């Protein structure tokens, strides 16, 4: 209790109605500012959730539309004809079916140009354009 009296006497000149009012106004302002920042943060989080859900909805709409188109395609005469040709080996009158051997064992034996073996052209790009537009004039 003695320390409180000592502090009171020491800072008595600072305690006034104006100073107490100023402290109360500062505390209220800081509380309001803290609440506003917290509300803004919460609104930002909610907006991110809304944006994410909107993107999901758009994706689902596109997937639904794609499924609708695929369903219509599978019901079409063109698909039925193509499926009959592929799976049953059917053909239109006058067409002949050609079955080619599998290409799994084929190896590419063509020579590959490596960057080190390519020749460097000394012709300027402008000369190449002239040759392209007007032909070789040699």
């Amino acid at each position: 209790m003695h320390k409180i009296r000592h502090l009171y006497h020491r800072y008595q000149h600072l305690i006034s109605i104006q100073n107490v009012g100023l402290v109360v106004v500062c505390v209220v302002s800081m509380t309001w500012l803290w609440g506003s920042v917290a509300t803004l943060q919460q609104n930002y989080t909610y907006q991110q959730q809304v944006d994410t859900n909107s993107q999901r909805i758009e994706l689902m709409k596109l997937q639904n539309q794609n499924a609708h188109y695929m369903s219509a395609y599978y019901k079409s005469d063109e698909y039925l004809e193509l499926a009959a040709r592929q799976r049953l080996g059917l053909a239109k009158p006058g067409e002949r079916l050609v079955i080619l051997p599998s290409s799994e064992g084929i190896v590419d034996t063509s020579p590959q140009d490596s960057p080190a073996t390519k020749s460097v052209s000394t012709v300027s790009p402008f000369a190449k354009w002239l040759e392209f537009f007007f032909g070789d004039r040699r």
Side-chain angles (χ1 to χ4, degrees):
M1 188 70 165
H2 177 67
K3 287 185 177 183
I4 294 175
R5 273 192 203 159
H6 176 68
L7 287 173
Y8 175 74
H9 288 298
R10 188 171 179 187
Y11 295 108
Q12 184 178 6
H13 67 281
L14 295 177
I15 299 175
S16 68
I17 296 292
Q18 291 88 4
N19 288 345
V20 170
L22 183 62
V23 168
V24 168
V25 166
C26 286
V27 168
V28 169
S29 297
M30 293 302 271
T31 304
W32 176 79
L33 181 65
W34 185 262
S36 297
V37 168
T39 302
L40 285 173
Q41 178 64 32
Q42 188 176 18
N43 287 345
Y44 178 75
T45 303
Y46 290 152
Q47 185 62 44
Q48 284 182 325
Q49 291 173 352
V50 167
D51 291 343
T52 301
N53 289 336
S54 296
Q55 289 175 350
R56 287 182 184 164
I57 289 170
E58 280 299 315
L59 179 62
M60 291 292 184
K61 284 180 182 178
L62 289 173
Q63 288 174 342
N64 187 18
Q65 188 177 23
N66 189 28
H68 176 73
Y69 289 146
M70 292 302 291
S71 173
Y73 170 68
Y74 289 139
K75 292 178 184 176
S76 70
D77 292 337
E78 290 84 10
Y79 173 74
L80 293 175
E81 180 181 337
L82 181 64
R85 286 172 175 248
Q86 287 179 344
R87 293 192 182 123
L88 303 176
L90 298 178
K92 288 185 177 180
E95 290 183 340
R96 294 184 185 179
L97 181 63
V98 176
I99 300 176
L100 299 175
S102 173
S103 62
E104 290 178 5
I106 299 176
V107 179
D108 186 15
T109 59
S110 63
Q112 299 293 328
D113 289 337
S114 65
T117 61
K118 289 186 180 177
S119 62
V120 178
S121 175
T122 58
V123 180
S124 70
F126 181 71
K128 288 181 182 179
W129 279 109
L130 287 176
E131 183 180 334
F132 175 76
F133 284 116
F134 301 111
D136 193 13
R137 300 210 175 205
R138 293 183 211 175

